Amino acid sequence: MKIDPRCVHCLLSRVHYQAMLLTDDTDTINRAVMAGLDALHRTYRQGEPAARISTAVHRSAYRAMGDRDPYREKKKLSRRLAVELMPLARSLVGDEVSEEHFRRAVVAATIGNTLDFGVDGFDVNEQHFEAEFRRLFDGGLDVDDTGRLIHLLDDVVYIADNSGEVLLDTLVLEQIRGMGGKVTLVVRGAPMLNDATIEDVEIHGIEAQVDRVLTTGSNAIGVCLDEAPSELVEAFEGASLIISKGMANYETMSEYGYRPIAYLLRTKCQAVADDMGLDTDMLVAKLVEQ
Amino acid sequence: MKIDPRCVHCLLSRVHYQAMLLTDDTDTINRAVMAGLDALHRTYRQGEPAARISTAVHRSAYRAMGDRDPYREKKKLSRRLAVELMPLARSLVGDEVSEEHFRRAVVAATIGNTLDFGVDGFDVNEQHFEAEFRRLFDGGLDVDDTGRLIHLLDDVVYIADNSGEVLLDTLVLEQIRGMGGKVTLVVRGAPMLNDATIEDVEIHGIEAQVDRVLTTGSNAIGVCLDEAPSELVEAFEGASLIISKGMANYETMSEYGYRPIAYLLRTKCQAVADDMGLDTDMLVAKLVEQ
């Protein structure tokens, strides 16, 4: 996906937001914003891949803040919320393995993609998240290609998105493995925003539920192939299906042409929704085969 | 008022918003955003007056769009809303002239400052504006220095803010003139955002309700003294009271030190609210004498 003019202010709004998460020191906040502004000014060109620019912006801002992890507390909160939600999510999905249960697991995991912070107008409302989860589950998927995924699950590479959310992803991983499929789970190589890293896999004990865990090899937004370990590139090339979770992974994976690939996400911003030909606030499980 | 780090993304969000008002041509929108980004990158420094930066950003964006007036239709809408509101506003203020009626007129005019577009999360909801007006009028001013203004009304310079809003300002001007005071009304020298210009004065026939109309001499955000006609500078120096309406005028007039000055505004953003030591969404009539 290419950068959209509306990404400009959104990116700088996220830089400001994450600086405020880290500190109330005006100088540090200002340094982060100026570094983000500088990187954006240096890299922003129409037609440029969105994630190349957002990676440059966030890395500059992180460096200006001393490379600390401003989302640390937000990630803890997301993990806690996810743990609290799991009994409800599991009861809604059910224990059996079938096409219908797979679909329900995808719905639950895709709702998990709303466990996000810092996207304009899309912060988690802790108090009402369980009720919101039920409401979204009842509404189901707005784009539902799950029926076409069923026969592609032999050897799946599953690219996780956010902390917390990755726990809900395990409902889908269980279905895939229950049907005899292999799963390679991919998380970010180092902290970036509230993205899931190997720390999340360890905290939730997810290693035991997959065949292999790989990382993207860096803290780039989404997946940057230039920075990815060769095992990951080989896994993409050999997969029966890549499942890409969330908007940042969509932004990058949509640039590479791997097929078949399924995008599971909530369309949280207009730029991504437009690029997918969809509306905002949709729950999406979209397969791209050609 | 000095620039705040959070102004960075807000300014670029306004640039994008106004480009979208003007056109759906992606190239033009992109040119405007890039011009705004470039100007912001060139001018943004901690400690710099906010309006100096926002003027540079908006002028660059306007130039990139061919200097058209993207808020033209929004201004027409604001004027229509203001005309529709006037009977209600007038009935709430009443016909007499007194300290209490002056206070009510200030409340109505300050609510008029909510007739604004393009400020993040603060767009006018046309359908419910009359009900909102009543609700805000009943709530009254959160900062009310109107009692201290009464003895300062001999020779008032009144700096208008937005289209539409300026019609509600006439309720205050009537009170001042009813008490025997003189009024110099100041509007923007050329179109900028949805600010009132001489066109608004003419459309509503406001010349007849004041002693003199001056302009700021340019399309600078707020009042830029370097670009102001000498009559305006003399009027500021000779005034018994300057009344400065809205946030942009606050941002600039708070840099100059004219006293006494009264700020009538709704605190629509955190940066201005912080600078005034207030909360957001307050209705404010604040006198600064020292």
Side-chain angles (χ1 to χ4, degrees):
Chain A
M1 179 186 138
K2 307 305 180 194
I3 195 83
D4 182 288
R6 79 192 83 209
C7 302
V8 166
H9 62 85
C10 181
L11 273 169
L12 292 173
S13 141
R14 296 199 77 169
V15 166
H16 181 259
Y17 174 87
Q18 68 211 24
M20 298 274 287
L21 286 182
L22 188 69
T23 179
D24 54 8
D25 176 57
T26 311
D27 286 344
T28 307
I29 294 169
N30 203 61
R31 262 203 314 280
V33 169
M34 285 193 76
L37 177 61
D38 194 53
L40 188 59
H41 183 257
R42 198 173 60 243
T43 57
Y44 182 81
R45 298 289 174 275
Q46 204 172 2
E48 192 77 1
R52 193 175 300 169
I53 296 172
S54 56
T55 294
V57 167
H58 287 301
R59 279 186 179 164
S60 288
Y62 270 47
R63 269 197 298 272
M65 296 185 292
D67 268 318
R68 285 169 290 175
D69 181 8
Y71 283 84
R72 180 176 300 279
E73 294 306 314
K74 287 288 186 192
K75 288 192 278 191
K76 283 184 191 162
L77 171 62
S78 293
R79 286 180 201 125
R80 186 171 59 69
L81 281 170
V83 168
E84 286 170 9
L85 273 173
M86 272 301 269
L88 170 64
R90 192 172 284 284
S91 76
L92 290 169
V93 171
D95 287 330
E96 291 162 60
V97 171
S98 75
E99 182 174 327
E100 169 56 19
H101 290 82
F102 173 73
R103 192 192 59 75
R104 292 189 213 163
V106 167
V107 175
T110 307
I111 297 170
N113 189 231
T114 62
L115 277 170
D116 203 355
F117 297 93
V119 174
D120 252 357
F122 215 90
D123 264 359
V124 170
N125 184 330
E126 276 185 75
Q127 266 71 49
H128 306 112
F129 199 70
E130 191 163 308
E132 178 70 359
F133 191 93
R134 279 180 189 277
R135 190 185 69 75
L136 289 170
F137 194 89
D138 290 345
L141 295 164
D142 297 289
V143 176
D144 182 359
D145 289 343
T146 52
R148 294 163 58 206
L149 303 184
I150 285 291
H151 308 292
L152 299 168
L153 301 179
D154 280 353
D155 187 0
V156 173
V157 177
Y158 193 105
I159 316 169
D161 190 11
N162 298 318
S163 270
E165 175 181 354
V166 69
L167 183 59
L168 289 152
D169 290 330
T170 61
L171 295 165
V172 179
L173 308 183
E174 281 175 21
Q175 290 286 322
I176 297 170
R177 302 238 299 175
M179 292 179 198
K182 282 204 312 179
V183 172
T184 298
L185 178 67
V186 184
V187 291
R188 224 61 79 209
M192 175 52 66
L193 308 177
N194 58 333
D195 289 358
T197 63
I198 201 74
E199 189 182 8
D200 295 86
V201 173
E202 288 167 1
I203 285 170
H204 298 303
I206 299 176
E207 301 97 325
Q209 297 174 272
V210 297
D211 297 277
R212 182 166 57 154
V213 179
L214 294 177
T215 83
T216 59
S218 77
N219 73 346
I221 300 287
V223 179
C224 173
L225 282 189
D226 291 342
E227 299 173 2
S230 57
E231 294 93 324
L232 180 58
V233 178
E234 285 158 21
F236 284 152
E237 285 165 358
S240 62
L241 175 69
I242 297 170
I243 296 181
S244 165
K245 200 74 191 297
M247 299 205 303
N249 289 325
Y250 169 76
E251 288 175 33
T252 47
M253 295 305 290
S254 62
E255 289 284 312
Y256 302 137
Y258 290 115
R259 302 286 182 272
I261 186 164
Y263 297 108
L264 310 192
L265 54 82
R266 181 89 185 260
T267 50
K268 282 174 271 193
C269 83
Q270 193 69 51
V272 168
D274 284 355
D275 197 69
M276 298 186 84
L278 301 172
D279 293 329
T280 51
D281 293 331
M282 280 184 155
L283 281 184
V284 177
K286 181 184 170 106
L287 173 64
V288 180
E289 289 188 287
Q290 301 296 329
Chain B
M1 180 187 139
K2 307 306 180 194
I3 195 83
D4 182 287
R6 79 192 82 207
C7 302
V8 167
H9 61 86
C10 181
L11 273 169
L12 292 173
S13 140
R14 296 199 78 169
V15 166
H16 181 260
Y17 174 87
Q18 69 211 23
M20 298 273 287
L21 287 182
L22 188 70
T23 179
D24 54 7
D25 175 58
T26 311
D27 286 345
T28 306
I29 294 168
N30 202 61
R31 262 203 315 280
V33 169
M34 286 195 74
L37 177 61
D38 195 53
L40 187 60
H41 183 257
R42 198 173 59 243
T43 58
Y44 182 80
R45 299 288 174 276
Q46 204 172 1
E48 193 77 1
R52 193 175 300 170
I53 297 171
S54 56
T55 295
V57 167
H58 286 301
R59 280 187 178 163
S60 289
Y62 270 47
R63 269 197 296 274
M65 295 186 293
D67 268 317
R68 284 169 290 175
D69 182 8
Y71 283 84
R72 181 176 298 279
E73 294 305 315
K74 288 287 186 192
K75 288 193 280 192
K76 284 184 190 163
L77 171 62
S78 294
R79 288 182 200 125
R80 185 170 60 69
L81 281 170
V83 168
E84 286 171 9
L85 273 173
M86 270 303 267
L88 170 65
R90 191 173 284 284
S91 75
L92 290 169
V93 172
D95 287 328
E96 290 162 60
V97 171
S98 75
E99 181 175 328
E100 170 56 19
H101 290 82
F102 174 73
R103 193 191 59 74
R104 291 190 212 162
V106 167
V107 176
T110 307
I111 297 170
N113 190 232
T114 61
L115 278 171
D116 203 354
F117 298 93
V119 174
D120 252 356
F122 214 90
D123 264 359
V124 170
N125 183 330
E126 278 185 73
Q127 266 71 48
H128 306 112
F129 198 69
E130 191 163 307
E132 178 70 359
F133 191 92
R134 281 181 187 277
R135 190 185 69 76
L136 290 169
F137 193 89
D138 290 344
L141 295 164
D142 298 289
V143 176
D144 182 359
D145 289 343
T146 51
R148 293 163 58 206
L149 302 185
I150 285 292
H151 307 292
L152 299 169
L153 302 179
D154 281 352
D155 187 1
V156 173
V157 177
Y158 193 105
I159 317 171
D161 190 12
N162 297 319
S163 270
E165 176 181 355
V166 68
L167 182 60
L168 289 153
D169 290 330
T170 61
L171 295 164
V172 179
L173 308 184
E174 281 175 22
Q175 290 286 321
I176 297 170
R177 302 238 300 173
M179 291 179 199
K182 282 204 310 176
V183 172
T184 299
L185 179 67
V186 183
V187 292
R188 223 61 80 210
M192 175 50 67
L193 308 177
N194 59 333
D195 289 358
T197 63
I198 202 73
E199 189 182 8
D200 295 86
V201 174
E202 288 168 1
I203 286 170
H204 297 304
I206 299 176
E207 301 97 324
Q209 297 173 272
V210 298
D211 296 277
R212 184 165 55 154
V213 179
L214 293 177
T215 83
T216 59
S218 78
N219 73 346
I221 300 287
V223 179
C224 174
L225 283 189
D226 293 341
E227 299 174 1
S230 57
E231 294 93 324
L232 181 58
V233 178
E234 285 158 21
F236 284 152
E237 285 166 358
S240 62
L241 175 69
I242 298 170
I243 297 181
S244 164
K245 200 75 191 297
M247 300 204 303
N249 288 324
Y250 170 77
E251 287 174 33
T252 47
M253 295 305 291
S254 62
E255 289 284 313
Y256 302 137
Y258 291 115
R259 302 284 183 272
I261 186 165
Y263 297 107
L264 311 191
L265 54 82
R266 180 89 183 261
T267 50
K268 283 174 271 194
C269 83
Q270 193 68 52
V272 167
D274 284 355
D275 197 69
M276 299 187 82
L278 301 172
D279 292 329
T280 51
D281 293 332
M282 280 185 155
L283 281 185
V284 178
K286 181 184 170 107
L287 173 65
V288 180
E289 289 188 286
Q290 301 296 326

